[in-house]
Amino acid sequence: MAEDRNTGPSFSSSTSWSNLGVVVLGQQGPEFVLEPPSTLVFSNTTGSQLSCSAHGSPTPHVTWITSPDQRSVSAVPGLRQLLGNGTLYFPPFLAQDFRAEVHNARYRCRATSSVGTILSREVTLRAGKPSPRFICFYKNYSISENR
């Protein structure tokens, strides 16, 4: 962090707002305890989840938004669920139920309290059919050693 005489503190582009730990009158702004990964790729047959948690005083409220438009994420029955613990859950789904706005999307976790708001890194989510696996079966196949 560098001090600018005219504008106060300035932060490099690599500074994470989640690490600043803003304190206001004995209160502490939100700080991430668990941040989601930058990429999550999973199969429609397995499902997956994004977890996020933050602490502070007062306790921050954790929500999810889409990125870059910052729209609040809501539940989509059978495809996306918001759990009370800050987890965004994507249950297994049929290939024909794939929805790009749910399964091929970018998300961010948001932690908010009366002291402030922080955003997690952007998560690029990709869900789809599992990769094909090839298994070869040979009938009457034998290996012999030439001597």
Side-chain angles (χ1 to χ4, degrees):
M1 182 167 60
E3 187 73 20
D4 182 327
R5 292 179 191 215
N6 297 323
T7 60
S10 62
F11 302 95
S12 72
S13 61
S14 65
T15 301
S16 170
W17 287 105
S18 64
N19 295 328
L20 296 179
V22 177
V23 178
V24 177
L25 301 174
Q27 298 178 328
Q28 182 177 349
E31 288 187 76
F32 286 114
V33 175
L34 175 63
E35 228 181 317
S38 59
T39 305
L40 177 62
V41 178
F42 65 96
S43 162
N44 67 301
T45 60
T46 61
S48 195
Q49 64 186 31
L50 292 170
S51 297
C52 184
S53 64
H55 69 88
S57 178
T59 302
H61 179 67
V62 174
T63 57
W64 287 90
I65 58 172
T66 57
S67 184
D69 59 4
Q70 297 195 7
R71 292 184 186 173
S72 292
V73 170
S74 59
V76 177
L79 300 179
R80 181 175 66 199
Q81 299 171 15
L82 295 159
L83 306 182
N85 63 358
T87 298
L88 189 56
Y89 175 63
F90 301 90
F93 62 96
L94 299 174
Q96 63 262 28
D97 293 332
F98 174 88
R99 288 181 52 187
E101 67 273 15
V102 172
H103 300 112
N104 189 16
R106 292 178 290 167
Y107 295 94
R108 291 182 88 174
C109 175
R110 177 173 54 195
T112 304
S113 74
S114 59
V115 179
T117 297
I118 55 173
L119 294 174
S120 71
R121 69 177 59 93
E122 183 177 86
V123 181
T124 300
L125 183 108
R126 300 278 183 262
K129 294 180 185 178
S131 300
R133 292 190 178 116
F134 296 98
I135 301 174
C136 298
F137 294 96
Y138 296 96
K139 187 174 182 179
N140 297 326
Y141 185 88
S142 65
I143 298 174
S144 62
E145 183 178 342
N146 292 332
R147 291 188 185 221

